[in-house]
Amino acid sequence: MRQPPRYQDRQFPHHVCKLDKSLYGLKQAPRAWYSRLSTKLQSMGFLPSKADTSLFYFRKGQHTVFILVYVDDIIVASSSNDIAVALLRELEQEFAIKDLGDLHYFLGIEVKRSNGELLLTQECDATSILEKVGMELCKPISSPLSTTEKLSVREGDSLGPDDSTRYRSVVGALQYLTLTRPDISFSVNKVCQFLHSPTTVHWAAVKRIIRYVKGTIHLGLKISRSKSMLVSAFSDADWAGCPDDRRSTGGFAIFLGSNLISWSARKQATVSRSSTEAEYKAMANATAEVMWVHKLLDELGIPHPKAACLWCDNIGAKYLSENPVFHARTKHIEIDYHFVKEQVNLKQLDVRFISTADQVADGFTKALAVRQLNLFRNNLNLQE
């Protein structure tokens, strides 16, 4: 590794540092590795993505290659197998790499192929969580959170230092599980709100989520071919749903064609004075994600309809995106208003109304009953 700036040895300015630790042992090592790999790929004609710094792409004629990098784990997707083989041979001349064949496992995510479809699961991670908590033989449950109880920071007895550390560790593992399990995004986000001071009630909620994972351990996200390349989004909010600070929970689901590609369940940063304001904040967050997806598709040269479709179940928020007239209840959300309104004026966003019963993002803002939860999972393309 080159000597760090301002720390060069004046007597030996051209000497380099020998790394006695592994790639993960030094803070500077990943940056140095990424710089070297990026330089090599760009010398081969690859372009770094401006939307995602871990993505590189190469286009020449009818041939296209995508490279996704996470430290020293790399995915290569190519329109031609010969080009992929030639790329690996070129990289082998400078780096010690190992070709693991077709994608089947990446950062804990298992990839299963069947009838031209992909199923992304995390069975190993889910099993590891069950073993970590000692609940391998627990009785499964049909929903991750109760619909009749709302968790509060004031409920239950505080956990001891060791139990609190265990709580944070298990919740962190569950949070990683949401990469392919959007059905537990809201419940995991809820228990994450008590990491600073967990209680026995919060730990009981975590164990309920684990019991739900036990019964759905083979569940995964299905990715299939879609004739449509329309980017569509569903946004929703649960106004003043938190009993502690009365902040709202916002959520959205982004689809590319029929495939779910992005989702979020998060408590909003500020208190909303009306349900319209809470819904509009959720719309603004969904709009930002949609614009990012559009930018990425444009950069990769993937054709798609210019206008994305945003579905919202609040008629007031929909009218606000089209009507330039402010009133007393909404003038304090002017920034979010102008952001969404600008995309509507540019014909890049089409805001439409959808009934609450058909709202796909409903499960990202509140706990659902079993029947609604099954419908929610089906709408998100989750299957075993």
Side-chain angles (χ1 to χ4, degrees):
M1 184 182 73
R2 294 179 182 176
Q3 298 182 46
R6 295 183 294 177
Y7 291 93
Q8 292 95 340
D9 190 317
R10 294 181 180 180
Q11 186 177 357
F12 304 103
H14 301 294
H15 282 204
V16 295
C17 300
K18 178 184 176 182
L19 296 180
D20 292 328
K21 293 187 177 181
S22 65
L23 181 62
Y24 296 92
L26 293 173
K27 291 182 179 180
Q28 305 96 320
R31 181 181 297 177
W33 156 250
Y34 176 82
S35 176
R36 183 180 174 189
L37 178 62
S38 175
T39 301
K40 175 62 177 178
L41 291 175
Q42 291 184 60
S43 69
M44 296 169 60
F46 281 84
L47 296 175
S49 170
K50 296 179 181 178
D52 188 344
T53 55
S54 63
L55 178 65
F56 297 83
Y57 60 94
F58 173 86
R59 285 199 304 268
K60 186 175 182 180
Q62 298 180 346
H63 301 297
T64 305
V65 183
F66 299 123
I67 294 182
L68 190 64
V69 180
Y70 185 83
V71 191
D72 57 346
D73 293 313
I74 301 175
I75 295 178
V76 178
S78 173
S79 58
S80 169
N81 187 59
D82 294 336
I83 294 181
V85 172
L87 169 65
L88 295 177
R89 288 178 179 174
E90 181 70 20
L91 292 177
E92 280 180 345
Q93 297 179 6
E94 187 164 346
F95 306 106
I97 64 174
K98 182 178 181 181
D99 183 8
L100 300 179
D102 291 338
L103 180 63
H104 62 277
Y105 190 83
F106 186 74
L107 302 179
I109 300 175
E110 303 167 56
V111 182
K112 301 178 181 178
R113 291 177 171 82
S114 177
N115 300 324
E117 298 177 343
L118 299 179
L119 184 65
L120 309 181
T121 66
Q122 291 175 274
E123 293 183 28
C124 291
D125 289 340
T127 303
S128 176
I129 293 174
L130 291 170
E131 294 174 351
K132 184 177 185 178
V133 186
M135 296 179 61
E136 306 97 311
L137 304 178
C138 68
K139 184 178 180 180
I141 199 169
S142 54
S143 62
L145 275 184
S146 171
T147 58
T148 58
E149 298 179 6
K150 287 197 173 184
L151 296 177
S152 171
V153 71
R154 294 181 292 269
E155 294 182 345
D157 300 324
S158 297
L159 298 179
D162 293 339
D163 291 335
S164 296
T165 300
R166 187 187 186 197
Y167 177 92
R168 298 183 185 103
S169 176
V170 173
V171 170
L174 286 172
Q175 200 168 23
Y176 191 75
L177 198 62
T178 60
L179 288 176
T180 59
R181 294 292 303 273
D183 55 320
I184 62 173
S185 291
F186 171 75
S187 53
V188 172
N189 175 264
K190 196 65 181 176
V191 295
C192 281
Q193 296 173 18
F194 311 106
L195 293 177
H196 63 289
S197 181
T199 67
T200 52
V201 173
H202 306 146
W203 177 241
V206 170
K207 290 198 291 185
R208 177 174 178 136
I209 297 174
I210 295 175
R211 290 175 59 195
Y212 172 75
V213 170
K214 166 70 175 179
T216 57
I217 197 168
H218 301 296
L219 201 65
L221 183 63
K222 183 185 72 172
I223 304 293
S224 59
R225 290 187 178 184
S226 176
K227 296 181 180 179
S228 172
M229 294 300 291
L230 172 68
V231 178
S232 56
F234 297 82
S235 71
D236 194 19
D238 180 31
W239 180 43
C242 180
D244 298 317
D245 53 18
R246 286 305 171 189
R247 293 184 185 179
S248 307
T249 299
F252 62 76
I254 312 292
F255 289 83
L256 179 60
S258 59
N259 295 308
L260 179 67
I261 58 173
S262 180
W263 58 89
S264 173
R266 185 175 301 175
K267 188 163 75 169
Q268 295 179 353
T270 57
V271 178
S272 299
R273 296 173 60 187
S274 66
S275 60
T276 298
E277 179 182 351
E279 293 280 358
Y280 209 84
K281 287 179 180 178
M283 285 176 57
N285 292 334
T287 300
E289 189 74 5
V290 166
M291 294 303 104
W292 178 83
V293 172
H294 268 189
K295 181 180 179 181
L296 182 61
L297 293 176
D298 292 337
E299 194 175 49
L300 300 182
I302 299 176
H304 62 89
K306 178 182 178 181
C309 186
L310 175 58
W311 298 92
C312 173
D313 62 358
N314 185 286
I315 196 70
K318 178 184 182 301
Y319 287 157
L320 186 60
S321 68
E322 302 169 349
N323 189 350
V325 178
F326 284 102
H327 51 78
R329 288 193 305 163
T330 56
K331 64 182 180 182
H332 48 284
I333 56 171
E334 187 174 355
I335 295 177
D336 285 337
Y337 167 79
H338 282 298
F339 175 63
V340 176
K341 188 68 170 64
E342 181 181 44
Q343 305 305 322
V344 173
N345 290 339
L346 293 174
K347 306 296 183 182
Q348 294 185 353
L349 188 68
D350 180 19
V351 180
R352 300 182 184 181
F353 176 76
I354 188 173
S355 66
T356 302
D358 298 325
Q359 175 59 270
V360 176
D362 197 39
F364 291 118
T365 62
K366 60 180 72 70
L368 300 178
V370 176
R371 184 177 179 182
Q372 292 175 304
L373 179 62
N374 291 334
L375 180 61
F376 176 64
R377 295 193 323 206
N378 183 63
N379 288 335
L380 298 182
N381 298 325
L382 290 173
Q383 68 175 34
E384 296 185 355

